[in-house]
């Protein structure tokens, strides 16, 4: 019904969850996810592979229920393989929101995960949300190989960070390729407004004896983003914008236009996770971007049909090697060679 079972090898069992099932497979009128393990997993090492679909909440529930089913069936260990970790962008407190990534991590651990394999977490500190081992694999070797093999004159390229927040990733790429770096600063401000979220309550009207003069709290000077500037020379060069996630492409399209105005003659976008939601393929096709290169951590076949500029790099090899090493009890350090603390 809602999963595909792979024939067990020795004492290892892999399950590949599926998010494309219909309600006709369920014996209930309501659309609920139901898991029934069709073979014994008692005392076995189970690997649950889940790629996130557009319906991310359904994908999460499928994985949680399958993990819990394996746990209650007395599996020896349960390793979750999530090439893209959902809700990873919500890993910081925003106004009166919550750190949703921590909630998802707690749910996975509570369901029974004993190990997690993922790739390029939005912030590597997310590993601290788990009380189980987390292997945060890197896609950069595959993207670097693509640059060297598929861009003939990449030596004339410059690695670009579309915002100062992406500068560390861009620096890592630039140092490995022995290329220069450029940073775009002054992008458009977020639509969120601090003026209507209640931060000015209670009223700032001073009343006699309300606050002692020595306890006055100084107000922060509001931020004002400067006009868009490009720190670094991109004139007559190939611009390669690097990031971890490409979903809403507005910022990438705006960055490409800025780089084109500064003299870049070809523009590439390299990212690990190609969510490419909504109208992203059409915007890419109509933009100054020449090529968008993403890995296959998330299915995007439909987006590729809509936009021939989107290219895919296969990273399944490193995931399969990670599964093999964990099952055989081998060291994982080989998969993290030449990766520094700040990468």
């Amino acid at each position: 019904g809602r999963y595909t079972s792979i024939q067990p090898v020795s004492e290892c069992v892999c399950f590949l969850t599926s998010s494309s099932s219909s309600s006709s497979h369920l014996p209930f009128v309501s659309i609920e996810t139901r898991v029934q393990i069709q073979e014994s997993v008692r005392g076995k090492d189970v690997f649950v592979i889940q790629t996130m679909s557009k319906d991310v909440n359904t994908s999460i529930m499928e994985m949680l229920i399958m993990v819990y089913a394996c746990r209650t069936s007395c599996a020896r260990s349960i390793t979750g393989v999530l090439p893209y970790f959902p809700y990873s962008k919500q890993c910081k407190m925003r106004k009166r929101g919550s750190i949703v990534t921590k909630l998802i991590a707690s749910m996975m651990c509570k369901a029974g995960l004993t190990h997690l394999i993922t790739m390029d977490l939005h912030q590597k500190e997310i590993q601290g949300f788990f009380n189980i081992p987390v292997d945060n694999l890197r896609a950069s070797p595959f993207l670097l190989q693509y640059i060297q093999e598929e861009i003939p004159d990449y030596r004339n390229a410059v690695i670009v960070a579309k915002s100062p927040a992406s500068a560390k990733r861009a620096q890592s790429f630039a140092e490995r390729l022995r290329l220069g770096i450029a940073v775009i600063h002054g992008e458009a401000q977020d639509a969120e407004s601090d003026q209507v979220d209640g931060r000015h309550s209670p009223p700032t009207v001073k009343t006699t004896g309300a606050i002692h003069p020595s306890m006055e709290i100084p107000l922060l000077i509001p931020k004002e983003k400067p006009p868009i500037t490009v720190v670094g020379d991109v004139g007559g060069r190939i611009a390669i914008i690097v990031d971890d996630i490409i979903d809403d492409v507005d910022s990438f399209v705006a960055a490409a236009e800025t780089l084109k105005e500064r003299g870049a003659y070809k523009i590439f976008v390299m990212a690990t996770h190609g969510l490419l939601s909504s109208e992203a393929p059409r915007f890419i096709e109509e933009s100054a971007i020449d090529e968008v290169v993403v890995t296959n951590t998330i299915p995007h076949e439909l987006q590729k049909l809509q936009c021939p500029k989107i290219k895919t790099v296969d990273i399944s090899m490193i995931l399969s090697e990670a599964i093999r090493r964990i099952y055989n009890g081998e060291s994982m350090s080989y998969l993290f060679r030449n990766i520094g603390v700040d990468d």
Side-chain angles (χ1 to χ4, degrees):
R2 300 190 71 87
Y3 65 88
T4 302
S5 174
I6 300 175
Q7 292 300 319
V9 179
S10 183
E11 296 299 315
C12 170
V13 179
C14 290
F15 294 112
L16 177 63
T17 65
S18 170
S19 58
S20 59
S21 58
S22 63
S23 58
S24 61
H25 295 287
L26 299 175
F28 307 109
V29 177
S30 60
I31 301 177
E32 298 177 353
T33 301
R34 183 186 183 192
V35 169
Q36 185 175 2
I37 308 299
Q38 299 293 337
E39 58 189 80
S40 175
V41 296
R42 182 180 297 273
K44 295 183 180 180
D45 299 311
V46 177
F47 293 83
V48 179
I49 304 170
Q50 175 67 301
T51 51
M52 292 297 129
S53 65
K54 286 186 176 180
D55 191 354
V56 62
N57 295 329
T58 299
S59 299
I60 292 172
M61 283 305 300
E62 282 181 347
M63 179 171 187
L64 292 175
I65 295 173
M66 178 165 284
V67 168
Y68 189 65
C70 293
R71 175 188 174 187
T72 54
S73 298
C74 301
R76 179 169 59 183
S77 67
I78 308 170
T79 302
V81 183
L82 283 80
Y84 169 67
F85 191 81
Y87 286 95
S88 60
K89 279 192 171 183
Q90 299 190 49
C91 59
K92 296 179 182 179
M93 179 63 74
R94 301 282 186 182
K95 297 182 180 177
R96 293 190 177 93
S98 60
I99 305 176
V100 183
T101 315
K102 169 61 177 175
L103 172 63
I104 301 298
S106 300
M107 291 167 63
M108 289 182 176
C109 294
K110 188 68 176 178
L113 271 190
T114 59
H115 202 124
L116 177 67
I117 302 174
T118 186
M119 178 164 283
D120 279 345
L121 289 170
H122 187 57
Q123 298 288 340
K124 62 180 182 296
E125 290 80 8
I126 291 174
Q127 297 175 81
F129 292 159
F130 292 84
N131 54 12
I132 58 174
V134 177
D135 287 311
N136 180 27
L137 305 177
R138 302 296 199 275
S140 55
F142 298 90
L143 297 176
L144 291 169
Q145 184 180 34
Y146 183 93
I147 293 173
Q148 293 173 320
E149 295 180 356
E150 303 297 330
I151 305 179
D153 48 350
Y154 81 92
R155 288 294 179 188
N156 188 38
V158 58
I159 306 298
V160 180
K162 68 179 179 66
S163 68
S166 306
K168 185 176 291 185
R169 180 181 298 272
Q171 180 184 357
S172 176
F173 272 68
E175 290 176 351
R176 283 169 168 77
L177 293 170
R178 311 294 193 270
L179 299 177
I181 185 174
V183 180
I184 300 176
H185 182 45
E187 70 274 15
Q189 188 152 7
D190 295 336
E192 296 176 339
S193 173
D194 290 341
Q195 301 299 320
V196 295
D197 70 346
R199 294 188 184 188
H200 294 280
S201 60
T204 56
V205 178
K206 293 183 179 180
T207 57
T208 306
I211 301 178
H212 192 276
S214 63
M215 297 178 64
E216 282 288 338
I217 301 175
L219 295 176
L220 278 175
I221 300 174
K223 292 182 180 180
E224 290 186 10
K225 294 187 177 181
I228 293 178
T229 57
V230 178
V231 182
D233 182 22
V234 297
R237 313 281 287 278
I238 299 173
I240 303 176
I241 305 173
V242 297
D243 212 334
D244 61 330
I245 300 173
I246 176 169
D247 186 5
D248 181 7
V249 299
D250 289 346
S251 59
F252 291 92
V253 170
E257 292 176 356
T258 301
L259 294 170
K260 208 75 171 180
E261 293 172 359
R262 299 302 194 278
Y265 73 90
K266 192 173 286 188
I267 299 170
F268 291 81
V269 174
M270 315 285 293
T272 302
H273 309 295
L275 275 67
L276 302 168
S277 302
S278 189
E279 297 293 318
R282 181 173 64 84
F283 292 151
I284 293 172
E285 186 66 25
E286 298 172 355
S287 71
I289 299 172
D290 293 283
E291 197 168 283
V292 173
V293 182
V294 294
T295 71
N296 56 348
T297 55
I298 299 174
H300 53 269
E301 288 77 12
L302 180 60
Q303 289 88 333
K304 290 181 69 175
L305 292 175
Q306 297 173 350
C307 177
K309 292 182 179 180
I310 301 173
K311 308 297 181 182
T312 306
V313 174
D314 180 26
I315 48 83
S316 58
M317 184 187 304
I318 193 171
L319 290 174
S320 60
E321 178 64 12
I323 293 173
R324 189 193 68 79
R325 285 175 175 269
I326 289 175
Y327 174 65
N328 291 325
E330 299 176 14
S331 172
M332 295 287 287
S333 61
Y334 177 78
L335 302 180
F336 296 95
R337 62 193 185 282
N338 299 327
I339 295 178
V341 177
D342 295 330
D343 287 352

